[in-house]
């Protein structure tokens, strides 16, 4: 049973605006972040925010299918974050990346 | 009555997600920024799925929403741990006021690994 109400619709609109602002703030950090680890953290936050956007959109459009999309996207985003972090750590372990060294080189 | 709970949980989740974005922009350090990304982000999207479970009051949707909450709560610490270790081992610059460093010898690889 789906409750049609103006309260839920208004709350969904406010929530979508807040989530869009949050994605914008995280995207500024993604562009500006001084190290690559900052960019990985910003990408992780953006994927979590996209999952929240999909849940809010499911309420706003009253479509249950968005929930499955959100679950599948959360799984794939977790795999992507783990892959990026492992790649980064392996580069560090083989001594090919050092943030201080990058700063010195710049 | 249910609609007010749905609206409350949705707006609370949106506010927590906005705080997560704000912390991502404003906090001073990579390791400290991960607090905003994982704690506030996971709480915000968990509240959003709770609102979704209250909104459609049927069994299959509610079960999937709670499975999504459990999945987020299981994967967020793992991802944060991996990113944090990678960030620490590439020696990102810590905050000026950081005075305790419990991992000081963790990433001191004297001989590189041979597996790759």
């Amino acid at each position: 049973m789906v409750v049609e109400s103006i309260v839920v619709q208004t709350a969904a609109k406010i929530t979508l605006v807040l989530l869009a602002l949050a994605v914008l703030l995280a995207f500024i950090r993604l562009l500006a972040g001084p190290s690559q680890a900052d960019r990985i953290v910003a990408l992780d936050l953006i994927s979590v925010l996209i999952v929240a956007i999909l849940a809010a959109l499911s309420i706003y459009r009253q479509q249950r299918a968005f929930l499955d999309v959100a679950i599948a996207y959360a799984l794939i985003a977790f795999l992507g974050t783990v892959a990026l972090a492992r790649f980064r750590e392996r580069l560090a372990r083989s001594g090919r990346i050092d943030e201080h060294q990058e700063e010195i080189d710049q | 009555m249910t609609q007010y709970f749905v609206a409350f949980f949705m707006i609370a989740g949106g506010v927590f997600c906005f705080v997560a974005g704000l912390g991502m922009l404003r906090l001073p350090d990579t390791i400290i920024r991960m607090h905003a990304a994982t704690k506030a982000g996971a709480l915000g999207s968990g509240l959003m799925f709770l609102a979704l479970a209250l909104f459609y009051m049927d069994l299959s949707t509610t079960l999937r929403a709670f499975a999504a909450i459990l999945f987020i709560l299981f994967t967020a610490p793992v991802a944060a741990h991996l990113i944090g270790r990678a960030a620490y081992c590439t020696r990102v610059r810590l905050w000026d006021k950081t005075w305790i460093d419990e991992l000081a010898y963790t990433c001191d690889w004297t001989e590189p690994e041979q597996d790759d």
Side-chain angles (χ1 to χ4, degrees):
Chain A
M1 186 190 74
V2 171
V3 199
E4 300 254 354
S5 79
I6 191 72
V7 178
V8 173
Q9 291 292 312
T10 312
K13 280 179 189 171
I14 294 171
T15 307
L16 284 172
V17 170
L18 282 173
L19 287 172
L21 285 177
V23 170
L24 188 68
L25 293 178
F27 197 79
I28 293 173
R29 176 55 66 192
L30 177 68
L31 288 179
S35 69
Q36 286 186 1
D38 287 318
R39 297 194 166 99
I40 298 176
V41 176
L43 267 181
D44 186 36
L45 178 63
I46 286 178
S47 58
V48 171
L49 289 178
I50 286 176
V51 171
I53 283 178
L54 285 169
L57 209 60
S58 167
I59 296 179
Y60 181 61
R61 303 299 294 267
Q62 299 180 358
Q63 297 260 334
R64 284 180 175 80
F66 280 120
L67 178 57
D68 300 329
V69 180
I71 292 174
Y73 187 80
L75 211 153
I76 292 174
F78 170 66
L79 289 183
T81 304
V82 169
L84 275 176
R86 293 291 296 173
F87 169 68
R88 183 80 185 151
E89 190 182 344
R90 173 160 297 191
L91 282 186
R93 189 179 291 239
S94 60
R96 269 173 286 184
I97 278 186
D98 195 328
E99 292 290 342
H100 284 328
Q101 196 61 43
E102 283 179 3
E103 287 175 4
I104 291 169
D105 286 341
Q106 285 168 6
Chain B
M1 193 60 208
T2 310
Q3 53 185 355
Y4 295 107
F5 281 107
V6 173
F8 173 74
F9 283 128
M10 276 189 78
I11 290 182
V15 166
F16 272 110
C17 285
F18 180 71
V19 167
L22 203 62
M24 177 59 73
L25 190 62
R26 291 293 297 163
L27 287 178
D29 177 356
T30 305
I31 312 290
I32 301 176
R33 266 176 227 136
M34 284 183 358
H35 289 277
T38 54
K39 290 174 191 160
L43 180 59
S45 47
L47 282 175
M48 207 72 74
F49 280 112
L50 190 60
L52 197 143
L54 278 177
F55 181 66
Y56 304 104
M57 276 278 190
D58 62 352
L59 182 63
S60 70
T61 314
T62 305
L63 275 181
R64 275 181 285 169
F66 276 103
I69 292 174
L70 277 184
F71 184 75
I72 287 172
L73 288 185
F74 281 145
T75 56
V78 178
H81 174 75
L82 283 173
I83 299 173
R85 206 174 56 177
Y88 188 84
C89 292
T90 52
R91 287 192 271 169
V92 292
R93 182 181 295 277
L94 296 180
W95 193 27
D96 296 334
K97 293 177 185 171
T98 302
W99 60 275
I100 186 165
D101 192 0
E102 288 182 339
L103 287 175
Y105 298 103
T106 305
C107 299
D108 187 17
W109 297 296
T110 52
E111 52 191 24
E113 239 185 7
Q114 299 294 327
D115 62 347
D116 53 352

